[in-house]
Amino acid sequence: MALLADGVSALFIDGKFSEGSAGTFPTANPATEEVLGVAADADAQDMGRAIDAARRAFDDTDWSRNTELRVRCIRQLREAMQQHTEELRELTISEVGAPRMLTSMAQLEGPVNDLAFAADTAESYVWNQDLGQAAPMGIPTRRTIAREAVGVVGAITPWNFPHQINLAKLGPALAAGNTIVLKPAPDTPWCAAVLGELIAEHTDIPPGVVNIVTSSDHSVGALLAKDPRVDMISFTGSTATGRSVMSDAAATIKKVFLELGGKSAFVVLDDADLAGACAMAGFTASMHAGQGCAITTRLVVPRAHYDDAVAAAAGTMAGIKPGDPNDPGTVCGPVISARQRDRVQGYLDSAIAEGGTFACGGGRPAGRDVGYFIEPTVIAGLGNDARVAREEIFGPVLTVIAHDGDEDALRIANDSPYGLSGTVFSADADRAARFASRMRVGTVNVNGGVWYSADAPFGGYKQSGNGREMGLAGFEEYLEIKTIATSAS
């Protein structure tokens, strides 16, 4: 892809590529610490241009009303990304540190294929619903419910699964008829910038409909929430930043979708296959170095079998060695940056300070002095009040907590400011289903089921966010509802 061939990416505003007014900033390979190249560094003026372009494209073109065009464009983008899969795969491994095996799933191929769901939904969606004739207040009236695009969407995305999250916003937002300004995380600017090139060269998306603004300055993204020209914010990231987004958006009462943090529980009931379930918990916590908001990082197990559970989880995690994400067998690559590695280490240090122990791991792996690697780590000996059990770590860290029966396990699972995801294992399917129904979370894995799918809504309760992404519910987040009453007399 030409824009990245020389190690430089540009802003994509109003259908044109441009330099950033603040110069450039580097993007690096987290496995090697080598600088891959630079990205255009936008300032407030650049963001203003992007918002203005999106506003004009929504107000002055028929994009929001031309469903056939939108469906065609989304399918063109999907096809273009599929044609460039191998180049995108190498980019994702290098910039994100994503294990190669995951690029055939949620790190790349999965979300690209999922664009089909957005296009198909728009094509078959009932945009206008006839409520028939009535006589409210004695006046003969025909009523219609119309569903329309919200307008200009500001999308702010994180670095952990950039393609999945960028496309989970772009796909349905565009399919619903909105225009968009995408502000990706500074850690993974190229994964977003490459979309501009593919859109410009391979789709009929009109100028201004999609704008991509990379910047090293987080305050540039915050302008999207503050600007009255933006009708909606779709944000994925930390709960702390989500609070700021919600606060900034309040000034203009704009619509806000938030997908935030998690501290999800993996609950093993006393009749389950303890070793098998705990091994799965350890594998899950290690995948992509634990950098997933819905990853289950609290393993809640029967007290009578606590030591066996710790041993089973540690046996799995000790065998997962942090490695080169280019290696097809790597499960746990690096964390994204030195800053994130130090943050994870701070949590590990706090576990020891609170009286916990490491059943495996606990720091940087031996022989990995280069790259931002952390050993998969099992923490034992702490309760649900420990810092590592309360706060999102975003590293390959699993805290094992004892429970005294189903009610206690449920109390522990729900005793969290978050409510994003959860898992329950039991030999009794009905018992597991009853337990899952009482978990205060947005997604639940029961006995190994998989909830991730383009047609399944994703989101959380409590401080894990507002609204849903993906599925029909995710598509409808980007719509407004209008009631039209026409005199029938």
Side-chain angles (χ1 to χ4, degrees):
M1 286 165 281
L3 279 179
L4 303 184
D6 296 324
V8 181
S9 70
L11 306 180
F12 184 61
I13 298 174
D14 204 13
K16 303 180 181 67
F17 298 101
S18 65
E19 297 179 350
S21 297
T24 61
F25 65 99
T27 186
N29 183 325
T32 66
E33 303 184 38
E34 296 174 347
V35 173
L36 298 170
V38 297
D41 200 0
D43 65 6
Q45 182 179 1
D46 295 321
M47 179 58 80
R49 291 194 296 116
I51 294 171
D52 187 58
R55 185 77 263 168
R56 282 187 281 103
F58 185 82
D59 293 340
D60 300 340
T61 76
D62 71 343
W63 172 258
S64 66
R65 299 176 298 281
N66 192 337
T67 304
E68 182 180 353
L69 172 62
R70 300 198 306 272
V71 168
R72 182 173 77 248
C73 288
I74 292 168
R75 288 174 177 160
Q76 288 171 337
L77 177 59
R78 177 174 178 262
E79 182 178 355
M81 295 190 77
Q82 289 176 330
Q83 290 174 349
H84 291 275
T85 294
E86 294 311 314
E87 295 159 275
L88 290 168
R89 192 187 317 280
E90 297 308 316
L91 168 62
T92 307
I93 294 168
S94 297
E95 187 174 51
V96 185
R100 180 173 291 275
M101 68 167 61
L102 294 184
T103 61
S104 65
M105 296 178 276
Q107 280 287 8
L108 177 60
E109 292 184 43
V112 171
N113 189 57
D114 289 349
L115 286 171
F117 178 83
D120 293 347
T121 299
E123 189 172 48
S124 63
Y125 193 70
V126 178
W127 296 94
N128 295 284
Q129 178 186 0
D130 184 1
L131 291 185
Q133 187 168 320
M137 293 182 282
I139 302 173
T141 304
R142 178 162 294 280
R143 293 87 38 77
T144 302
I145 304 300
R147 288 171 171 81
E148 303 176 342
V150 173
V152 175
V153 173
I156 306 172
T157 59
W159 41 259
N160 57 324
F161 283 80
H163 297 302
Q164 194 279 319
I165 299 170
N166 289 343
L167 296 179
K169 297 185 188 303
L170 278 173
L174 296 177
N178 300 278
T179 60
I180 194 164
V181 179
L182 173 63
K183 167 59 175 70
D187 300 279
T188 52
W190 280 6
C191 285
V194 72
L195 291 173
E197 182 174 353
L198 294 172
I199 286 169
E201 295 184 359
H202 300 284
T203 80
D204 297 322
I205 294 176
V209 168
V210 177
N211 305 274
I212 301 169
V213 180
T214 57
S215 177
S216 62
D217 185 352
H218 289 283
S219 69
V220 170
L223 296 173
L224 288 166
K226 298 175 181 177
D227 198 298
R229 294 171 294 175
V230 176
D231 300 293
M232 176 180 174
I233 294 295
S234 182
F235 171 80
T236 298
S238 72
T239 295
T241 305
R243 290 192 190 97
S244 295
V245 168
M246 181 177 278
S247 177
D248 288 340
T252 53
I253 319 294
K254 58 172 53 76
K255 191 172 185 179
V256 177
F257 164 79
L258 301 173
E259 195 275 285
L260 307 176
K263 195 66 187 178
S264 303
F266 189 119
V267 179
V268 183
L269 302 183
D270 59 14
D271 64 344
D273 172 5
L274 183 80
C278 293
M280 181 178 291
F283 182 85
T284 301
S286 303
M287 189 177 296
H288 189 35
Q291 297 172 113
C293 53
I295 289 176
T296 42
T297 55
R298 291 182 294 149
L299 176 58
V300 184
V301 300
R303 190 177 301 276
H305 304 291
Y306 184 82
D307 290 344
D308 291 339
V310 169
T316 296
M317 293 183 76
I320 298 174
K321 304 299 182 184
D324 182 353
N326 271 298
D327 186 334
T330 294
V331 172
C332 180
V335 295
I336 192 67
S337 64
R339 179 182 65 257
Q340 182 63 17
R341 180 193 61 205
D342 294 344
R343 181 176 181 273
V344 175
Q345 187 64 58
Y347 277 104
L348 298 179
D349 295 344
S350 78
I352 297 300
E354 290 187 65
T357 60
F358 299 139
C360 68
R364 298 185 66 173
R368 288 267 176 205
D369 296 330
V370 175
Y372 309 126
F373 293 94
I374 287 282
E375 296 172 296
T377 301
V378 172
I379 298 172
L382 295 176
N384 200 51
D385 57 346
R387 186 178 173 218
V388 291
R390 306 300 299 176
E391 300 179 16
E392 187 174 45
I393 298 174
F394 241 56
V397 181
L398 184 66
T399 302
V400 188
I401 302 167
H403 73 74
D404 296 308
D406 291 18
E407 290 301 316
D408 190 48
L410 183 68
R411 177 191 64 78
I412 293 169
N414 287 339
D415 179 17
S416 172
Y418 301 107
L420 190 54
S421 192
T423 293
V424 58
F425 267 76
S426 170
D428 183 334
D430 290 338
R431 183 184 181 190
R434 288 193 301 272
F435 192 98
S437 72
R438 298 174 66 193
M439 296 179 79
R440 298 289 295 166
V441 296
T443 57
V444 187
N445 167 328
V446 179
N447 288 337
V450 177
W451 46 258
Y452 175 81
S453 179
D455 62 350
F458 173 68
Y461 293 16
K462 300 187 281 187
Q463 292 184 35
S464 288
N466 296 325
R468 291 296 180 269
E469 198 153 66
M470 303 174 68
L472 181 61
F475 175 79
E476 291 182 334
E477 288 284 348
Y478 295 97
L479 296 175
E480 294 280 19
I481 298 175
K482 177 186 289 182
T483 299
I484 303 169
T486 304
S487 173
S489 58

